[in-house]
Amino acid sequence: MDMLFKKLPLLIVLFCVSCCASVKEQRGAQNESQVLKDVKTLSSTEFEGRRTGTAGAEKARKFIIERFKNLDLQSFPSFTDYIQSFTLSEKSDSSHIGENVIAYIPGKIKEAIVLSAHYDHLGKKGSQLYPGADDNASGVAALLEFAQYFAKNKPNFTLIFAAFDAEEMGLKGAKAFVADPPLALERIKLNINMDMIAHNDTGELYACGTYYYPQLKKYINSNQSSLKILLGHDNPSMGHDDWTNQSDQGAFHAKKIPFLYFGVEDHKDYHQPTDTYENINQTFYVQAVDGILEIIKTIDSKLSSQIQIDKNKVMF
């Protein structure tokens, strides 16, 4: 037999492997480019640090709303064009108004999960810009990625996508949401919050909430081999290192709604002008987004099945 024909099976195998790898790389690159592009956009100078009540914050809202509309996400009847307005203080001028951006995808069951990330940051202090790439353009970009996935893959739970305002002012957007929710609070079974998920040099992403809600531990796993998802930062004995009330999940916890909060430990660029797109860990961030999505999908599948089996259960 000719040597070419002897080698033909091997050549075919190598060609197929090469093609599959190429397709996988292209597919991954496309996913990465969108979520990274969103972080880069939201933390650009055009958005002026997204401080509550500023033109930069308004641009961020329009950006998020446009994406929600393009994905055909629904707005609650009690809100106007996805916006939930709330007062920041007793003063009535526009600089003392906050605006959450809220959308939802109806699920197969009426119970809901709130996926959240705050879009506000520190804005400008004098001439110094605080871009807030990790804090929290990273969380908002992840939220948009999850919305895109579930817009194409109908969830079991009704999924609420909440881009909260005024987190940096004391979780005021999240507190306004739970004080005046668009559906009965007892229908909300879980809050999954993302705040600072793009900047860690050792591949460590924390999932906190299982100290109070240990039943959630079984859902926290990921196929991202180089991503380390750790539990912790939720024990009250840790003092300042207890993150339970340090981001928007605190408002849900106060209402006895279980939560998972995904975030990284503080880094040198936290609340600094150097929290830029260039300083996030891009590979880690994409893996973190993929890992959190895996966990959401697992919860949506397994927890919804449990609720359907026993409709009398209030929690899990």
Side-chain angles (χ1 to χ4, degrees), residues 189-201:
K189 299 304 178 185
L190 180 66
N191 168 233
I192 299 177
N193 186 46
M194 286 77 61
D195 190 354
M196 296 174 56
I197 58 172
H199 193 156
N200 185 270
D201 296 329

Side-chain angles (χ1 to χ4, degrees), residues 112-117 143 160 162 164 174 177-178 188-194 208-209 213 216 244 247-253 257-262 299 316:
I113 293 174
V114 177
L115 306 180
S116 62
L143 189 71
I160 300 172
F164 288 132
F177 178 87
V178 297
I188 299 176
K189 299 304 178 185
L190 180 66
N191 168 233
I192 299 177
N193 186 46
M194 286 77 61
C208 64
Y213 309 104
L216 295 173
T244 300
S247 188
D248 290 319
Q249 72 279 349
F252 291 84
H253 179 60
I257 297 172
F259 73 87
L260 284 175
Y261 162 46
F262 292 96
I299 290 173
F316 306 101

Side-chain angles (χ1 to χ4, degrees), residues 39 50 114-122 131-143 146 162-172 174 191-200 204-208 233 243-251 259-267 269-271 275 280 284-285 288-289 292 296:
V39 175
R50 310 182 307 279
V114 177
L115 306 180
S116 62
H118 74 90
Y119 70 88
D120 66 298
H121 190 56
L122 303 180
D134 189 31
D135 185 14
N136 186 34
S138 67
V140 175
L143 189 71
F146 303 155
F164 288 132
D165 195 2
E167 188 271 351
E168 301 286 2
M169 303 176 71
L171 322 184
K172 290 188 176 180
N191 168 233
I192 299 177
N193 186 46
M194 286 77 61
D195 190 354
M196 296 174 56
I197 58 172
H199 193 156
N200 185 270
E204 294 179 348
L205 178 71
Y206 274 89
C208 64
H233 285 296
W243 298 347
T244 300
N245 296 306
Q246 293 189 27
S247 188
D248 290 319
Q249 72 279 349
F259 73 87
L260 284 175
Y261 162 46
F262 292 96
V264 299
E265 292 185 319
D266 289 355
H267 46 75
D269 301 313
Y270 170 65
H271 277 196
D275 185 9
I280 68 170
F284 165 75
Y285 174 57
V289 172
I292 297 169
I296 295 171

Side-chain angles (χ1 to χ4, degrees), residues 6-21:
K6 286 184 179 180
K7 294 180 179 179
L8 190 56
L10 178 60
L11 291 172
I12 291 172
V13 170
L14 291 173
F15 175 78
C16 291
V17 170
S18 175
C19 288
C20 290

